[in-house]
Amino acid sequence: MLFSPQRIAAACQTAVPGLTIEVVAETGSTNADLLARLDQLAAPLLLIAEQQTAGRGRAGRSWQSARGASLTFSLAWRFRLPLQALAGLPLAVGVALAETLATLQLPVQLKWPNDVLCNGRKLAGVLIETAHDRQSGDRLWAVIGIGINLAADAALTARIEQPVAALSDLLEIDRELLLAALLDRLCLTLQEFEQFGFPAFTQRWNALHLHRGQHIAIVDHGQPVLDGVALGVDDQGRLLVQTASGRSAVVAGDVSLRAVAA
Ligand code: ATP
Ligand code: BTN
């Protein structure tokens, strides 16, 4: 059965003027769909797909999902902020996901910049894409796409080249109530981010940091570009790494973090 937008809305506690919730049975990518509709939007829109056939990940990678085995949704949200002020937004969204799951007694950690991991396995990912608001000039739309594994069947995990976690192996869930809880915290996070920026999230992100004090490498298109000990993030969401030649601050962009065996 499809998600019920009415039940999700009824369970939400955060008031967001004009927020609409839509559900589709199948689409390529909820991020792509919302990006294509931004010119017609005047208020935030949450689009939930039961199934995505061309889910997008960061840096042109793909997000795999199977019908009924995933939560795949995107929220279009308008900010009165310049593009450079959104640099830490993906990390703040990672904090929102992790804090929501923590309220369900599921301890998760964050892999820089914004993967959500449980017991070292990837449970959720965030992809944020932005566009200028052509109606207002001084505003920006962010399409915040989130994928969370509900169940991990063998065919799905075989298509993913890293260890995967799934929520239903970890806790009993009502997926609509979970979506409502995620939407609540996400909206609060976006309001807080607009007002205070990433500094409001720095300590919270660092408290969830999976690789703190560990030897890591930063890779760019598969090539190692830096290695050292991960210290945590600064107020811009950059990863601070203690290298042999001093401290470096790494900007997320298209680079990836890999743990280095001790
Ligand atoms: P990083 O964010 O550090 O670059 P990453 O390798 O996880 O790490 P992302 O672009 O964030 O890269 O996410 C895309 C990757 O996520 C894919 O290349 C794949 O390894 C993994 N992936 C795809 N679908 C799923 C899924 N349903 N569950 C867990 N992981 C997935
Ligand atoms: C990542 O870890 O690289 C990010 C994955 C983001 C996946 C979500 S699923 C909903 C939304 N639509 C997409 O095509 N991607 C995001």
Side-chain angles (χ1 to χ4, degrees):
M1 210 171 55
L2 284 188
F3 286 96
S4 157
Q6 293 78 11
R7 184 160 179 258
I8 296 166
C12 278
Q13 283 156 18
T14 311
V16 176
L19 173 72
T20 313
I21 302 175
E22 288 183 13
V23 176
V24 291
E26 182 172 307
T27 188
S29 154
T30 52
N31 263 39
D33 291 351
L34 288 186
L35 282 169
R37 289 174 59 184
L38 292 178
D39 282 349
Q40 291 100 57
L41 295 188
L45 172 61
L46 178 75
L47 179 63
I48 304 164
E50 291 283 343
Q51 164 67 331
Q52 277 191 151
T53 53
R56 314 212 282 222
R58 292 196 324 124
R61 290 185 281 263
S62 62
W63 182 258
Q64 307 286 340
S65 52
R67 189 178 303 281
S70 316
L71 282 185
T72 48
F73 58 97
S74 302
L75 175 64
W77 189 273
R78 200 158 38 171
F79 285 94
R80 209 182 289 271
L81 292 172
L83 186 58
Q84 64 272 22
L86 295 189
L89 182 62
L91 286 83
V93 170
V95 171
L97 293 182
E99 290 181 348
T100 308
L101 295 170
T103 65
L104 305 172
Q105 317 308 324
L106 182 67
V108 292
Q109 290 182 297
L110 295 173
K111 171 178 169 243
W112 183 84
N114 58 3
D115 286 353
V116 178
L117 279 80
C118 187
N119 301 322
R121 296 167 164 269
K122 186 161 170 178
L123 175 66
V126 178
L127 172 68
I128 301 187
E129 298 177 270
T130 54
H132 282 283
D133 178 12
R134 290 203 269 179
Q135 292 169 32
S136 76
D138 67 335
R139 298 203 208 169
L140 269 181
W141 280 105
V143 173
I144 299 149
I146 297 175
I148 304 178
N149 296 319
L150 291 180
D153 64 63
L156 179 68
T157 48
R159 297 205 302 268
I160 303 170
E161 59 282 4
Q162 58 177 302
V164 170
L167 272 187
S168 55
D169 294 339
L170 305 161
L171 48 105
E172 289 251 316
I173 38 159
D174 174 318
R175 56 185 202 150
E176 286 165 341
L177 296 186
L178 173 63
L179 257 172
L182 290 165
L183 181 60
D184 266 336
R185 195 168 286 257
L186 196 54
C187 291
L188 286 176
T189 295
L190 301 179
Q191 289 162 344
E192 200 178 351
F193 188 91
E194 169 126 42
Q195 205 175 350
F196 304 110
F198 188 68
F201 298 88
T202 313
Q203 279 187 8
R204 285 150 72 186
W205 195 98
N206 282 327
L208 294 159
H209 183 189
L210 173 65
H211 293 105
R212 188 187 187 96
Q214 292 181 27
H215 192 185
I216 56 100
I218 299 296
V219 298
D220 189 355
H221 295 94
Q223 297 302 313
V225 288
L226 187 90
D227 77 294
V229 174
L231 301 174
V233 295
D234 66 10
D235 280 343
Q236 295 166 56
R238 300 179 304 178
L239 182 70
L240 301 174
V241 182
Q242 189 67 45
T243 72
S245 55
R247 187 178 284 200
S248 286
V250 187
V251 178
D254 284 353
V255 299
S256 297
L257 179 152
R258 298 288 174 258
V260 173

